[in-house]
Amino acid sequence: MTVLEKIGSPPARLGGSALYDWDYLVQEDRAHRLIYTDPAIFEVEMTNIFGGTWTYLAHESEIPRENDFITRRMGLRPLIIVRDGEGKNRALYNRCTHRGTTLCRWDKGNSKSFQCPYHGWNFLNTGRLRGVPWPEGYAADLRDPKYNLAQVPRVESYRGFIFGTLNLDALPLTEHLGPISTVIDEWLDRNPGGKVVVCEANRFRYKGNWKLAYDNSCDGYHVAYSHRSLLETENRFAGENAKGMAYYRNSPDTQPMYMRYTGHGNHFKDKRPNLEKRPGGLWALESAHPGMEHYESEFIKRYGDRAFALLDLAGSEPVNINVFPNFSLLGNHIQVFEPVSVEETNAIWYGTMIVDDNGKLDKDAVTDINALRMRTQEGFPNFGEVDDIANFEQIQRGLMAIEDEWVYMNRGFGIPGRVKTHEDGSITAPATDEAFMREHFKEWKRLMKTRANFAIQREP
Ligand code: FES
Ligand SMILES: [Fe+2]
């Protein structure tokens, strides 16, 4: 039994969703600059989006043992994601119920309880207040649940990915993910045991709105221009066969790739259609990176016939999977978007390793594969992400031109037969189309308009 506290708008303040005419600000083919620049809109997003829909929090491999914890955020709320003593995943508010300071100042660790650094209140990792210094100074009954830590009332995992929402009306996570879960399954199932372990992160912060990153997450239009230096480097190595970024060197819409929108703001870009189903098929598509020929010949020397199947486990899956609003799987990485303010965002790239619980591979092979996965993770996140971030910062500057109000997302819009709607409701379009953006903005608008049924929860 837990106690739910319903959240309404604070008294004497207009509910955020009544602030604007959302249908005017986001139209079918264009969006108003204010949605990227207005702090009041950002504040509504921090409840209606980051809270109103399932938001990615952490991966189960980051808290594998009982009492492991890791500190994260949901929108601006500081959270402690913890696996409690009974193995249950919880998302505790990292906020002392006494006077509001953050309770845990560590990034991660293992603890059955958290002691507040300010006055020493002590909380169990279930969120319950265990004790306070010199309790005889209180007439109040400190066993009242209101002194227990707030927590996110709905925390669910999909195959190791932990999501949370405050919205009691949100669909169960698996239903919410719907068709995108098939692509997530494919991303996982090529690995031994169908799983990955999340490693340390490569962290970027940019001076721009968080949506600029999500708007870019499935964008195949910018690649040839924004990532020109990376593309030229790869083209020098790519030879006749386009692979990796080299796909985009000319007429990307005629290449074997497409985008698909699967609902609820989720979409993916798929460069797998010409992936050959043979050992080494995936490795053959791996983007050029320094030293890869050396690794390849080492693998052949060490593992003989098995070398190419093992190299496939190191190679990057050629698909970008985006779960609205803050989660992407790209190649071997997980990317998380973390809003800081209306004009500042963290873009965090987590590496992933394979594990071999069933002992199908030998130990050296696992180490070699994971070492090589690290090399692939040094590629795009270092040489490509910086190009994207430069654009996000320059868009934020450009949008300060107050009178020039609109940004356009109409590529592919209104051309008969170009964008296709399928029986399951999903939508496909050529790789450079902005259909994904038009669609995720419909979800954004739906959430911004909704007066959501929010709650936090406390232990009784
Ligand atoms: S603010 Fe945490 S004990 Fe006072
Ligand atoms: Fe990019």
Side-chain angles (χ1 to χ4, degrees), residues 32-321:
H32 198 277
R33 59 175 285 282
L34 275 179
I35 70 164
Y36 299 98
T37 59
D38 184 335
I41 292 180
F42 178 79
E43 199 172 314
V44 181
E45 289 179 330
M46 291 307 103
T47 53
N48 285 34
I49 309 283
F50 289 80
T53 190
W54 290 101
T55 306
Y56 177 70
L57 300 176
H59 190 266
E60 284 178 1
S61 66
E62 295 173 288
I63 45 169
R65 295 165 306 151
E66 284 172 9
N67 305 314
D68 279 349
F69 70 85
I70 191 155
T71 50
R72 286 289 152 81
R73 294 230 305 262
M74 183 164 78
L76 300 182
R77 304 166 193 87
L79 299 179
I80 311 170
I81 315 300
V82 63
R83 184 177 300 237
D84 73 16
E86 282 163 11
K88 180 178 163 152
N89 294 329
R90 294 174 182 271
L92 308 173
Y93 276 47
N94 189 7
R95 180 223 186 263
C96 181
T97 48
H98 177 216
R99 297 250 290 271
T101 181
T102 57
L103 184 60
C104 175
R105 315 257 170 102
W106 301 91
D107 292 336
K108 58 183 169 185
N110 182 280
S111 183
K112 289 185 178 150
S113 62
F114 300 99
Q115 184 170 54
C116 181
Y118 196 178
H119 311 93
W121 282 26
N122 198 297
F123 298 87
L124 292 170
N125 67 8
T126 58
R128 188 170 291 170
L129 179 62
R130 178 161 81 168
V132 306
W134 308 294
E136 61 280 5
Y138 281 101
D141 181 1
L142 294 177
R143 287 169 307 183
D144 187 321
K146 73 182 181 193
Y147 299 114
N148 295 334
L149 296 179
Q151 41 193 306
V152 177
R154 298 183 65 193
V155 177
E156 291 177 20
S157 293
Y158 183 75
R159 296 198 60 182
F161 300 109
I162 306 172
F163 291 78
T165 180
L166 305 178
N167 186 356
L168 301 180
D169 294 338
L171 290 170
L173 177 63
T174 43
E175 272 176 58
H176 171 81
L177 292 173
I180 201 91
S181 58
T182 311
V183 205
I184 298 175
D185 290 346
E186 288 161 359
W187 190 85
L188 285 166
D189 287 337
R190 73 187 185 92
N191 301 308
K195 57 185 202 178
V196 292
V197 164
V198 172
C199 327
E200 278 302 330
N202 194 2
R203 294 166 196 278
F204 296 87
R205 177 176 284 201
Y206 66 87
K207 292 235 175 265
N209 187 269
W210 68 273
K211 293 188 292 304
L212 298 171
Y214 202 78
D215 295 349
N216 180 251
S217 64
C218 211
D219 184 309
Y221 196 27
H222 73 293
V223 180
Y225 294 88
S226 296
H227 300 300
R228 184 167 182 151
S229 58
L230 187 52
L231 198 84
E232 283 181 356
T233 308
E234 294 211 343
N235 284 348
R236 280 204 292 279
F237 296 101
E240 288 303 301
N241 301 320
K243 60 177 193 168
M245 289 286 214
Y247 267 143
Y248 293 94
R249 56 188 163 184
N250 42 43
S251 65
D253 284 344
T254 62
Q255 299 291 325
M257 56 183 176
Y258 64 94
M259 62 120 288
R260 189 174 199 121
Y261 178 80
T262 64
H264 297 133
N266 309 328
H267 38 62
F268 64 96
K269 184 136 59 62
D270 198 349
K271 290 184 282 182
R272 298 173 301 178
N274 72 342
L275 177 63
E276 292 173 42
K277 290 206 174 7
R278 59 165 172 94
L282 196 105
W283 180 247
L285 293 181
E286 181 61 33
S287 300
H289 58 261
M292 69 192 299
E293 298 85 352
H294 169 75
Y295 279 107
E296 189 177 300
S297 63
E298 275 301 306
F299 267 66
I300 293 169
K301 228 187 286 168
R302 287 182 205 178
Y303 304 109
D305 290 350
R306 292 193 301 145
F308 281 96
L310 298 179
L311 284 164
D312 283 344
L313 292 176
S316 317
E317 179 95 339
V319 59
N320 295 8
I321 305 166

